[in-house]
Amino acid sequence: TTVGAGILALPAVTQPAGFIPSTLALTGAWMYMATTGLFIAEVACKTMATTGKPATSLKSMAAGSVGPIGAWLTSAAFVFLHMALLIAYCSRGGELLTSLLPGSLGVPPPLAFAGLFGGFIFVTKGTDALDQGNNIFATIVVASFFALVALVIPAGDLGQLFSTSNWSQATDTIPTLLLSLVYHNVVPTVCAQLEGDRNKITKAVVVGSLIPFLMFVIWNAAVLAALPGATGTADPLEVLRSSGSPLVAGGILAFSLSAIVTSFVGFVVAL
């Protein structure tokens, strides 16, 4: 769920601040999110030990920590955040699906995306087919990421990474950076799968969030270095798609759509 739609918005948000300020902000955001992930893991393990159940949920964790009112508020915030993100995924995913398929879809693009991938989740939930399908898109995310970096970096200008350093705008990137690094909804599941082993859980949270963080830094550097110049208010990825080679354009489309699909699947299943 971490290497998903958030990484697509990263260059557009970090470009005004510049690579160095935004990287330091991203580092701080990762440290904060890793720490809060460990806090949630600790509460999950304690709740599992107290209840004697092999698994737990954010609602039951909140009920044991802050009481029933806190549990309901936590559930409401959880559903609100997930629904807001799912709407954003369907909106952007529909746009990408439209650019991928020839002709008109006959229905609004967000509805087509939700129907196609939401229907797949509905039909395959609880089966190996869902995991296999999601793993395919996750593989495309990783493969297209490294392919794009290999294509873009040689053609980029590393000097552009240091040409802009607006430290005052670094704070404006923090909300998007924090949202991009969200993975906390799966922490209770990780704790259950690792049977409450705190050492393994700590490694899973820290290393599991560190890898996306490093991918974010590399991705941000590759895109910002490859931009042909100031893009104004235009989306840097769209500028790169239109100005780059067909391989770059196709790679960006494959990476973007697959990243959104994997995030969409994770958040739908979590609901």
Side-chain angles (χ1 to χ4, degrees):
T1 58
T2 306
V3 183
I7 196 172
L8 306 182
L10 197 63
V13 172
T14 60
Q15 186 183 20
F19 176 70
I20 299 299
S22 63
T23 298
L24 289 179
L26 181 59
T27 302
W30 170 74
M31 294 174 64
Y32 173 80
M33 297 301 272
T35 302
T36 53
L38 291 174
F39 285 158
I40 291 176
E42 181 62 28
V43 176
C45 290
K46 182 179 179 180
T47 303
M48 290 163 57
T50 301
T51 61
K53 297 180 179 179
T56 186
S57 65
L58 288 176
K59 182 180 179 181
S60 59
M61 290 162 54
S65 302
V66 292
I69 295 178
W72 283 109
L73 290 175
T74 298
S75 298
F78 180 82
V79 172
F80 175 79
L81 175 62
H82 275 58
M83 293 304 298
L85 288 172
L86 288 175
I87 291 171
Y89 293 160
C90 289
S91 177
R92 182 56 177 159
E95 294 176 4
L96 295 170
L97 199 60
T98 302
S99 64
L100 179 64
L101 300 177
S104 174
L105 296 175
V107 294
L111 185 60
F113 180 87
L116 178 61
F117 294 104
F120 173 74
I121 295 171
F122 178 79
V123 171
T124 61
K125 187 174 182 179
T127 68
D128 291 338
L130 178 58
D131 290 335
Q132 292 169 358
N134 195 47
N135 288 339
I136 290 173
F137 280 105
T139 301
I140 295 174
V141 169
V142 175
S144 57
F145 170 82
F146 286 108
L148 280 172
V149 170
L151 287 170
V152 167
I153 285 184
D157 179 9
L158 294 180
Q160 289 189 175
L161 298 180
F162 309 100
S163 61
T164 302
S165 291
N166 293 327
W167 293 94
S168 61
Q169 296 196 39
T171 54
D172 295 338
T173 68
I174 292 177
T176 301
L177 298 180
L178 291 175
L179 188 60
S180 300
L181 292 168
V182 166
Y183 59 90
H184 301 65
N185 56 318
V186 301
V187 171
T189 302
V190 171
C191 293
Q193 290 177 337
L194 296 179
E195 300 178 341
D197 188 319
R198 282 177 166 78
N199 290 331
K200 291 182 179 179
I201 292 170
T202 300
K203 290 179 182 178
V205 170
V206 174
V207 178
S209 61
L210 178 63
I211 292 173
F213 162 73
L214 295 176
M215 291 178 68
F216 281 23
V217 173
I218 295 171
W219 173 254
N220 197 36
V223 174
L224 295 183
L227 289 175
T231 63
T233 58
D235 183 356
L237 284 187
E238 290 301 320
V239 172
L240 206 56
R241 269 184 67 185
S242 60
S243 62
S245 67
L247 280 176
V248 171
I252 290 176
L253 178 59
F255 177 75
S256 301
L257 183 59
S258 299
I260 288 179
V261 169
T262 54
S263 291
F264 181 78
V265 170
F267 276 87
V268 169
V269 171
L271 278 175

